[in-house]
């Protein structure tokens, strides 16, 4: 009888030992999985979120710096042209009617609304059946931070839309050609123009007391106050 009781106790102890070992092994497996997978995944997620936040902060700081730089330059010295010495400039308030551009920073797109009656009357371009009153422009190579719509030259054929990117370069649309061909999109960057913070509309006349003739142009100003006369860059592209 005592032997049976002793054997029963031994069996019970053995079973308890097996159960405890199984619990320990299961606990180790769960811990290893948790430590190697879940924790690592969690750490990776935290790292990715941190990197994403840092990138957002850097982007915001860059935009803020650009805006602050623009504020520092409160005017323009019209004698600081860096790509031409042939003209004297006068600030103007030129406006193109019939076109309404709006920037959507979230999607980095520019929406264009067109009053075709106005465009036909002033530009001589009629609204064909395939033309729309609304266009979305989204083929920019970088983030657009500012726009300037104006004319270069002496008539509507020199109308142009300028788009300042956050890296200081400028993309453009030759508006007359774009409307005429119904192909309204960015034509890419203006070669040789960089570090821009602001645009000005001006009238230009050849230098000299007896100079005659004149035309409209756009000045693209750099942070140091110097500027490009975009007539020199775009006259053959519009």
């Amino acid at each position: 009888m005592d032997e049976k009781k002793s054997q029963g106790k031994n069996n019970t102890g053995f079973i308890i030992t097996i159960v405890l070992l199984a619990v320990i092994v299961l606990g180790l497996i769960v811990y290893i999985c948790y430590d190697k997978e879940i924790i690592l995944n969690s750490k990776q997620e935290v790292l990715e979120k941190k990197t994403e936040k840092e990138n957002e902060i850097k982007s915001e700081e860059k935009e803020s710096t650009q805006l602050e730089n623009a504020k520092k330059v409160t005017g323009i010295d019209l004698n600081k042209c860096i790509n031409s010495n042939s003209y004297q400039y006068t600030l103007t308030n030129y406006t193109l009617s019939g076109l309404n551009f709006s920037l959507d920073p979230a999607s980095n797109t520019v929406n264009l609304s067109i009053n075709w009656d106005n465009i036909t009357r002033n530009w001589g371009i009629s609204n064909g059946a395939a033309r729309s009153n609304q266009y979305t422009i989204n083929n920019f190579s970088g983030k657009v931070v500012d726009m300037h719509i104006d004319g270069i030259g002496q008539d509507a054929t020199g109308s142009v839309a300028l788009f300042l990117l956050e890296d200081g370069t400028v993309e453009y649309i030759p508006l007359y050609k774009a409307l005429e061909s119904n192909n309204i999109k960015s034509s890419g960057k203006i070669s040789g123009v960089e570090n821009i913070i602001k645009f000005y509309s001006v009238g230009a006349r050849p230098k000299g007391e007896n100079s005659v003739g004149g035309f409209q142009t756009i000045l693209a100003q750099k942070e140091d106050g110097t500027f490009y006369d975009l007539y020199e860059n775009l006259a053959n592209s519009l």
Side-chain angles (χ1 to χ4, degrees):
M1 194 71 175
D2 291 337
E3 289 181 2
K4 289 182 178 181
K5 287 182 180 180
S6 177
Q7 186 174 0
K9 289 180 180 180
N10 290 337
N11 289 339
T12 300
F14 179 73
I15 293 171
I16 291 172
T17 301
I18 294 297
V19 171
L20 288 175
L21 287 173
V23 170
I24 292 171
V25 170
L26 182 60
L28 286 173
I29 293 173
V30 171
Y31 173 77
I32 291 171
C33 290
Y34 179 80
D35 184 57
K36 298 300 182 183
E37 299 294 335
I38 298 177
I39 288 181
L40 288 178
N41 288 341
S42 177
K43 288 179 179 178
Q44 183 65 27
E45 289 176 3
V46 170
L47 182 60
E48 289 175 355
K49 289 180 179 179
K50 182 180 179 182
T51 302
E52 183 178 347
K53 186 64 177 177
E54 288 175 348
N55 290 337
E56 288 179 0
I57 293 173
K58 287 180 181 178
S59 178
E60 290 173 358
E61 288 177 346
K62 189 171 185 178
E63 289 182 26
S64 177
T65 299
Q66 188 171 31
L67 289 174
E68 287 302 317
N69 289 338
K71 291 177 181 177
K72 290 177 184 177
V73 183
T74 57
I76 183 169
D77 183 341
L78 295 175
N79 297 306
K80 290 188 174 182
C81 186
I82 56 178
N83 64 336
S84 176
N85 191 37
S86 302
Y87 306 105
Q88 53 188 4
Y89 304 102
T90 304
L91 292 173
T92 62
N93 188 20
Y94 188 85
T95 302
L96 288 179
S97 59
L99 302 175
N100 182 31
F101 287 84
S102 61
L103 172 64
D104 181 359
S107 60
N108 199 41
T109 59
V110 171
N111 299 307
L112 169 61
S113 299
I114 302 176
N115 182 329
W116 279 107
D117 290 337
N118 192 310
I119 294 299
T120 300
R121 182 171 59 254
N122 296 323
W123 295 27
I125 302 174
S126 59
N127 181 12
R131 302 184 191 276
S132 172
N133 295 325
Q134 303 288 332
Y135 290 85
T136 298
I137 305 161
N138 56 13
N139 66 317
F140 303 106
S141 62
K143 186 173 182 180
V144 178
V145 296
D146 195 12
M147 301 184 296
H148 191 80
I149 318 303
D150 204 336
I152 288 179
Q154 296 177 319
D155 56 36
T157 60
S159 300
V160 62
L162 302 175
F163 306 93
L164 177 61
L165 305 187
E166 65 178 348
D167 64 358
T169 58
V170 180
E171 295 195 17
Y172 75 105
I173 297 176
L175 289 173
Y176 190 89
K177 286 183 178 179
L179 292 173
E180 191 176 42
S181 64
N182 196 34
N183 186 24
I184 303 173
K185 63 180 182 179
S186 171
S187 293
K189 294 184 178 183
I190 302 176
S191 178
V193 175
E194 56 188 17
N195 300 321
I196 301 305
I197 61 169
K198 198 170 183 179
F199 301 108
Y200 291 88
S201 297
V202 297
R205 295 177 63 86
K207 288 184 176 180
E209 292 182 4
N210 300 317
S211 64
V212 294
F215 56 92
Q216 184 73 15
T217 187
I218 305 169
L219 310 182
Q221 189 179 34
K222 302 176 67 173
E223 183 181 348
D224 63 4
T226 60
F227 60 85
Y228 299 95
D229 177 352
L230 296 185
Y231 178 84
E232 301 294 322
N233 305 81
L234 292 176
N236 296 323
S237 302
L238 302 178

